[in-house]
Amino acid sequence: MLLSVVLPVYNEAAVLESFHTRLVGAVAAVAGPEDSWEALYVDDGSSDQSVAVIHGLAQQDDHIRLVALARNFGKEIATTAGIHQAAGDAIVMMDSDGQHPPESIGEFLDAWREGAQVVIGVRTDNQSAPLVKSMASRAFYAISRSLSQGHLLRNSTDYCLIDQEVATAFRGYGQQSRMTRAIIQSMGYAQGRVEFAADPRMAGQASYSTRKLVSLALDALVTGSSKPLMWSAVLGGFLALVGFLAGCAVLVEQLILGDPLGWNFTGSAMLGILVLFVTGLILGSQGVIGLYLSAVYREVLRKPLYLVNAARSLGYRP
Ligand code: UDP
Ligand code: MG
């Protein structure tokens, strides 16, 4: 069995040496005599000594491979590059700052051996995260659950394992804005989970700014679902319908029958109804335009049309 560990690196020079030692120890503790492994570092355009440190480590350890990206592309793309390169039967991806304890790799492998093709690391609550951040993360999962088909597991992290079949399928996803774990969790392969407590960083600083996190969350929501567009179309249609019915009622009751019910509608009330009707039409047609836009967007993404579970198929040839 070959295990690949994919490790995105951005300005982690201060932690890499101690992290790698820890990783080596953790893998040695779970690997059998038949097993081999590779530590696949992906340097995401670090501006510090990260690449030099990895080169140095590689002189003593030939398990190390390094993909150095030309500039900073962000963690999601860096992880993707790692998955593209990974040769393992099982591919584990984890942060290289020590927050994802390598000691849990054994549990990921156990779940994989028990048949899970995707094993997701679930964070037991991160006490060190500030209140605002943890509230924002709760809100994100709640919104994403209600928008999409309930794919994204709450507190799921990028610490995860996929098997070679899932990795092959993953290579078919070409979208620019991407949240790796959202893609992996939406594919539908048999899932397992491993719980772990996130450690504090071993050194250095988190490079994910609030701005980057918010834009990642928005990307995941917008690319994952077109329901908000649908809602605006439905709301617009509803407003237009209310305006239309109210308009008809006033027309008949007041202007044709001469106000037998004594509604006594003023001109501005009628104007209000007209505004309601027209606003509804505009909002509704905007929503419809949005739906076309999202249809175009889905085409542009060029997601794989389908994914096959080879193990469960009979006579399937990829
Ligand atoms: N990272 C990366 N590219 C970036 C930012 C971060 O590859 O542009 C890596 C970083 O080296 C680390 C992981 O992604 O291994 C998580 O980053 P960080 O610790 O900054 O984020 P947080 O722990 O707050 O999620
Ligand atoms: Mg971190």
Side-chain angles (χ1 to χ4, degrees), residues 7-12 15-16 42-46 50 69 72-79 94-100 126 133 158 181 199 201 203 205-209 212-213:
L7 302 143
V9 173
Y10 181 60
N11 293 345
E12 304 287 9
V15 288
L16 278 171
V42 182
D43 176 68
D44 187 15
S46 297
S50 297
L69 301 185
N72 180 245
F73 286 88
K75 176 187 178 180
E76 306 299 321
I77 302 287
T79 312
M94 64 194 293
D95 287 1
S96 58
D97 59 1
Q99 291 199 278
H100 296 163
N126 187 350
K133 196 172 171 183
D158 290 318
R181 62 173 182 273
D199 293 337
R201 282 186 146 261
Q205 281 191 357
S207 50
Y208 259 91
S209 61
K212 270 195 194 164
L213 283 176

Side-chain angles (χ1 to χ4, degrees), residues 239-259:
L239 290 182
L241 186 69
V242 170
F244 181 74
L245 292 178
C248 288
V250 170
L251 189 77
V252 172
E253 198 272 348
Q254 192 145 330
L255 299 183
I256 298 180
L257 301 178
D259 203 7

Side-chain angles (χ1 to χ4, degrees), residues 18 47 75 88 100 164 195 198 255 263 289:
S18 48
S47 53
K75 176 187 178 180
H100 296 163
Q164 191 50 252
E195 291 202 342
L255 299 183
W263 285 354
I289 295 174

Side-chain angles (χ1 to χ4, degrees), residues 26-37:
V27 172
V30 296
E34 314 279 82
D35 302 335
S36 56
W37 74 291

Side-chain angles (χ1 to χ4, degrees), residues 1 3 24-32 35 102-107 109 113:
M1 191 271 285
L3 167 70
V24 169
V27 172
V30 296
D35 302 335
E103 294 75 22
S104 300
I105 289 180
E107 287 178 55
L109 290 174
R113 291 200 185 94

